[in-house]
Amino acid sequence: MASDSFDTPISDEEKANIASNFIVHAPPGEFNEVLNDVRVLLQNDSILKGASAESFANYNMEQFLPVKLSDSDDMVVISKHGLTEDGRFIDPFRGRSFKLDHLRKEATEIEDYEMDSKAEPYRKAIQDALRSYIKSYYPHGVFSVFGSSDSDITVTICIEDHQYQPKNYWNGRWKSEWTLTIPSGSNTATLKGNMKVQVHYYEDGNVQLVTSKEHEDELPISNERGTADKLIKLIGKIEANYQSSISENYNNMSDTTFKALRRQLPITRSKIDWNQILSYKIGKELKNA
């Protein structure tokens, strides 16, 4: 009965779903490698094409892909917060929108976009305050700030930094997302954030570090510039604490986690005299001779 289930062919739809799952879970900086491997496994480009469009878009938005527009010095973070109803992405630095080729990672058909007028004063102030923070703490950092409003004002910050070292067999990415909600008529805003680190090390093995942390806080509201300065100061403190906690955790790991994974004494419950280990081996060989 079990053999019959293994002999049942997988449908093209199931193959497309499996391919999509591989693609969206590609480690940072290894999208093309995973895509090429999936293509070899499928041996059918029509199935891959059916699975690719949505998978590519979801991967790029999840990874906070940085994209450079041809006529701008600022790179834009690709995320769901910058996605318009017609499938375009917002360039908040210059008030434009564009189409994105998710495979080639190229922006095309750039045109003007009307930013949310109610949220724009806060969004712009936060963008200006964030620029110096990114420059100071993220060597290759990219950020985008998006704004929207209904009865409340919502400003979302997306931060991305990465380092790819394929020659040294590792790649890694930092991403953080912060959403500030300013209720109408209130003097206090709510801040919700998520920080995530993903590192893949694959020399003589295959190890991934994936860690994330959520944070929620409150922020007093003043004018746009004052609110922006207080917000960036708070975010800086939270992100620094998170980075420090990761470093401390791995510095202590050898005394805790790694010790729990291995036997501290051999099964004889006596320590091995490593200085005598060679004589032990010679003695055993003589005994068996």
Side-chain angles (χ1 to χ4, degrees):
M1 192 76 177
S3 61
D4 292 341
S5 63
F6 285 112
D7 292 337
T8 303
I10 300 176
S11 68
D12 287 351
E13 183 180 357
E14 290 176 304
K15 290 179 181 179
N17 290 334
I18 294 170
S20 296
N21 193 52
F22 275 123
I23 291 169
V24 298
H25 288 93
E30 298 169 45
F31 176 85
N32 290 337
E33 287 78 4
V34 172
L35 179 61
N36 290 335
D37 288 344
V38 168
R39 188 178 184 185
V40 171
L41 289 172
L42 283 177
Q43 294 291 312
N44 190 325
D45 283 352
S46 63
I47 296 177
L48 182 60
K49 186 176 181 180
S52 62
E54 186 176 356
S55 300
F56 294 176
N58 289 339
Y59 180 83
N60 289 336
M61 288 190 286
E62 170 62 24
Q63 292 288 323
F64 282 7
L65 174 75
V67 171
K68 190 177 189 310
L69 278 65
S70 58
D71 58 347
S72 176
D73 293 331
D74 292 304
M75 299 188 75
V76 176
V77 172
I78 299 300
S79 82
K80 62 182 181 181
H81 304 290
L83 181 64
T84 66
E85 292 182 355
D86 57 353
R88 298 171 65 86
F89 289 92
I90 299 171
D91 170 11
F93 295 99
R94 295 195 176 187
R96 303 178 299 179
S97 71
F98 57 91
K99 283 188 174 182
L100 179 68
D101 184 322
H102 286 282
L103 180 58
R104 294 187 176 88
K105 301 175 177 56
E106 294 177 354
T108 60
E109 300 183 29
I110 302 170
E111 58 186 43
D112 292 338
Y113 180 81
E114 186 176 351
M115 305 293 285
D116 187 297
S117 59
K118 185 177 178 181
E120 185 61 13
Y122 279 102
R123 190 210 66 79
K124 181 66 165 57
I126 292 170
Q127 175 179 281
D128 292 342
L130 187 61
R131 191 181 294 275
S132 60
Y133 170 69
I134 298 297
K135 186 176 180 179
S136 298
Y137 294 100
Y138 292 94
H140 313 97
V142 178
F143 73 97
S144 290
V145 184
F146 305 99
S148 61
S149 68
D150 39 40
S151 58
D152 303 333
I153 293 174
T154 302
V155 179
T156 302
I157 297 171
C158 299
I159 301 173
E160 188 274 349
D161 198 359
H162 65 261
Q163 190 164 2
Y164 302 152
Q165 293 282 341
K167 291 183 179 179
N168 295 317
Y169 305 101
W170 68 267
N171 299 297
R173 168 176 278 120
W174 162 285
K175 52 172 284 193
S176 55
E177 177 182 314
W178 299 95
T179 299
L180 183 73
T181 303
I182 306 173
S184 178
S186 175
N187 294 323
T188 304
T190 300
L191 177 67
K192 293 183 179 181
N194 180 278
M195 299 160 285
K196 182 177 180 180
V197 176
Q198 184 176 4
V199 180
H200 184 209
Y201 179 79
Y202 49 96
E203 182 178 18
D204 296 329
N206 188 6
V207 180
Q208 285 204 60
L209 161 69
V210 181
T211 176
S212 63
K213 182 178 178 61
E214 294 183 350
H215 185 91
E216 187 169 342
D217 221 315
E218 291 186 342
L219 188 76
I221 297 299
S222 56
N223 58 41
E224 290 86 353
R225 179 59 187 272
T227 301
D229 289 342
K230 286 182 284 188
L231 173 63
I232 303 309
K233 185 177 180 179
L234 177 59
I235 289 175
K237 181 180 178 181
I238 298 167
E239 292 190 344
N241 288 340
Y242 178 49
Q243 293 181 35
S244 297
S245 68
I246 294 175
S247 298
E248 183 179 350
N249 181 57
Y250 283 92
N251 287 335
N252 296 333
M253 187 170 282
S254 60
D255 295 327
T256 55
T257 307
F258 288 153
K259 280 190 175 181
L261 291 173
R262 66 176 182 261
R263 195 191 301 271
Q264 294 188 38
L265 290 173
I267 199 167
T268 60
R269 308 301 297 170
S270 59
K271 292 184 178 181
I272 295 175
D273 185 348
W274 293 102
N275 293 322
Q276 299 294 323
I277 193 68
L278 187 59
S279 63
Y280 294 157
K281 183 178 180 182
I282 293 173
K284 184 178 179 181
E285 290 175 348
L286 290 174
K287 185 177 179 181
N288 294 332

